Amino acid sequence: MTEPTLPPAAALAAEALAAGRLRLALQPVRPAARPDRLAFEEALARIDGPEGPLAAALFVPALEAAGRAPALDRAALGAALALLARRPTARLSVNLSAATLADGGWFALLEAAPPRLARRLIVELTETRPAEPRRALAARARIAATGAAFA
């Protein structure tokens, strides 16, 4: 059985993931009542393309369709945890695909994180694919057990 051919942006993303070249773009999230305050930053996956950074919308759907969302989510979680370690006052959110809910490697990475990092992490389940409710509830419990928040 042959592997599906990825669109160019997704192929570039898969290559970057394999080479450890995922990076995060940080988007500030501010409370509506206090826009002068930073609530947290959303860590968004980015891959550098030939003409600049590629937004996740250009490669995530194809990676999910090809079964590669867990690799993307592991790389993003690892990068977010490393950033939290370097920035002791930061609070970050990181996306989690429904396809990754069954990925033991992603959970092992989160569960191995020091609690001081996990407590400053928000894990957001994306809406790109429907999540099986029981699996999502089990994931929420595992995530909460590390001290991370679940959205």
Side-chain angles (χ1 to χ4, degrees), residues 20-56:
R21 293 193 325 262
L22 175 93
R23 65 182 187 83
L24 299 176
L26 301 179
Q27 178 174 305
V29 178
R30 301 178 184 281
R34 293 291 314 265
D36 58 313
R37 288 221 136 123
L38 177 66
F40 62 93
E41 294 172 284
E42 185 174 6
L44 303 167
R46 294 292 182 265
I47 301 294
D48 288 325
E51 297 174 17
L54 298 177

Side-chain angles (χ1 to χ4, degrees), residues 6-96:
L6 294 172
L12 187 63
E15 178 185 304
L17 282 175
R21 293 193 325 262
L22 175 93
R23 65 182 187 83
L24 299 176
L26 301 179
Q27 178 174 305
V29 178
R30 301 178 184 281
R34 293 291 314 265
D36 58 313
R37 288 221 136 123
L38 177 66
F40 62 93
E41 294 172 284
E42 185 174 6
L44 303 167
R46 294 292 182 265
I47 301 294
D48 288 325
E51 297 174 17
L54 298 177
L58 296 175
F59 58 85
V60 170
L63 290 180
E64 285 185 335
R68 297 184 185 187
L72 173 64
D73 290 347
R74 283 190 305 273
L77 176 60
L81 291 169
L83 185 57
L84 287 169
R86 289 191 310 274
R87 293 179 49 202
T89 60
R91 183 159 172 82
L92 299 177
S93 72
V94 67
N95 289 326
L96 174 68

Side-chain angles (χ1 to χ4, degrees), residues 94-145:
V94 67
N95 289 326
L96 174 68
S97 167
T100 304
L101 293 177
D103 183 60
W106 186 91
F107 282 98
L109 184 59
L110 178 61
E111 291 165 346
R116 67 183 171 76
L117 301 183
R119 283 191 298 268
R120 295 186 287 122
L121 186 68
I122 303 163
V123 178
E124 180 182 344
L125 185 60
T126 64
E127 310 86 18
T128 56
R129 291 178 63 172
E132 196 278 314
R134 272 186 268 184
R135 185 165 278 170
L137 289 172
R140 181 181 72 178
R142 266 182 100 171
I143 291 165

